[in-house]
Amino acid sequence: MASQAPTPSPLAFHATATAESQRPPLILPKRTLAARIRSLLADRNRFSQFLYRESSGVREVAESLLGERGALTGPAAQTRIQHCLAGVWREKATLTAELCDSAITPLDGEDLRMLACLLTSVMEALDDVQAAASRSESGWDWPLKALCRATLEYVTVVCELIPEPLELTRDSSRMALLASRSMAMRGARRACESTVLDGRGPTDCRVLAQWSLLEEFRRLHTCLDEACLEAQRVVLKNS
């Protein structure tokens, strides 16, 4: 009598199906490792774009506050700078979050975040300058206009440098330009200080308001100098 093949037990089939359902699915990569690396390298410029957007916001505020007569103390100045300041904070927070999820960046992640923080400091210093100006008189008989112009020129060259600090290695004239803009701002501020101290300006309590404004310009100058020094450090670190 021929032997019959054993009938598969329904319990055994159920056990096999259960084991198959608990096995994690096999997911094959859609791209090769080389293709993924190329994609990451191509996308790394997005971090520079964060710095470009933030520096553009700082420059926009500087031009609106310092480039027009009376704009520093105008009624719309505070609203404008608060809006731009919120945008700068948002860009810096987004950059920080993006850095946490990326392994490949154009510069070291710490350097990128430091440059973004320095741009934020410049924006906050501009906010303090506007606040100090709004507490004072706008029609001063002193060289405030020259100080605003020198400050705007320094802010502009710093904002052009921060997104691409390695340009210092390709264009040596930038160092001389940064130094000259810094000296020009310092000289313009000292001219204003001399006007106040020599008694050629207002003689009442407005002197205190003027001096407070000059201190905020001094702080802004320090922030710009620190941004330049950090950019130079980044260049040395990545050379």
Side-chain angles (χ1 to χ4, degrees):
M1 184 176 181
S3 62
Q4 296 181 352
T7 303
S9 170
L11 295 177
F13 176 78
H14 176 73
T16 302
T18 302
E20 290 292 335
S21 66
Q22 293 177 348
R23 182 179 302 170
L26 179 62
I27 301 177
L28 296 176
K30 296 181 179 179
R31 293 178 295 179
T32 64
L33 179 60
R36 293 170 66 190
I37 292 177
R38 285 195 298 270
S39 176
L40 283 171
L41 289 172
D43 197 30
R44 66 205 293 253
N45 288 331
R46 72 185 188 277
F47 295 104
S48 295
Q49 293 303 317
F50 278 110
L51 293 179
Y52 272 116
R53 288 195 295 269
E54 188 173 356
S55 63
S56 296
V58 173
R59 187 163 51 185
E60 175 188 343
V61 166
E63 290 173 350
S64 64
L65 293 180
L66 307 172
E68 301 176 7
R69 183 176 182 86
L72 190 60
T73 56
Q78 185 176 9
T79 301
R80 185 187 306 114
I81 196 171
Q82 289 298 322
H83 174 75
C84 292
L85 186 59
V88 166
W89 285 334
R90 184 168 55 251
E91 288 288 353
K92 187 179 71 172
T94 307
L95 172 62
T96 302
E98 288 281 341
L99 286 172
C100 293
D101 293 333
S102 178
I104 300 179
T105 59
L107 297 172
D108 182 83
E110 180 182 354
D111 294 336
L112 288 167
R113 191 171 188 281
M114 178 58 70
L115 292 171
C117 288
L118 288 169
L119 282 172
T120 304
S121 296
V122 171
M123 176 70 88
E124 291 171 344
L126 282 168
D127 183 28
D128 290 336
V129 165
Q130 192 281 323
S134 66
R135 294 191 295 266
S136 309
E137 296 292 334
S138 58
W140 296 336
D141 183 20
W142 63 319
L144 179 61
K145 183 178 180 180
L147 176 57
C148 289
R149 183 173 60 252
T151 302
L152 176 58
E153 291 175 351
Y154 194 18
V155 170
T156 299
V157 296
V158 170
C159 288
E160 290 174 350
L161 171 67
I162 291 300
E164 293 290 345
L166 298 182
E167 284 294 323
L168 288 175
T169 61
R170 295 185 282 269
D171 185 1
S172 58
S173 65
R174 286 203 173 197
M175 286 297 300
L177 180 62
L178 290 167
S180 66
R181 292 291 187 267
S182 178
M183 291 297 295
M185 182 178 175
R186 180 180 291 109
R189 194 190 70 245
R190 286 179 175 175
C192 290
E193 292 173 349
S194 297
T195 299
V196 175
L197 295 175
D198 291 346
R200 288 180 279 138
T203 57
D204 54 17
C205 63
R206 284 181 296 170
V207 171
L208 181 60
Q210 288 187 2
W211 196 259
S212 175
L213 176 58
L214 290 178
E215 284 300 309
E216 296 302 340
F217 270 106
R218 183 193 300 275
R219 176 171 170 251
L220 174 58
H221 190 187
T222 299
C223 291
L224 292 167
D225 283 347
E226 288 176 350
C228 291
L229 290 174
E230 179 63 21
Q232 295 173 49
R233 187 195 67 79
V234 168
V235 170
L236 291 175
K237 179 179 178 180
N238 291 273
S239 297

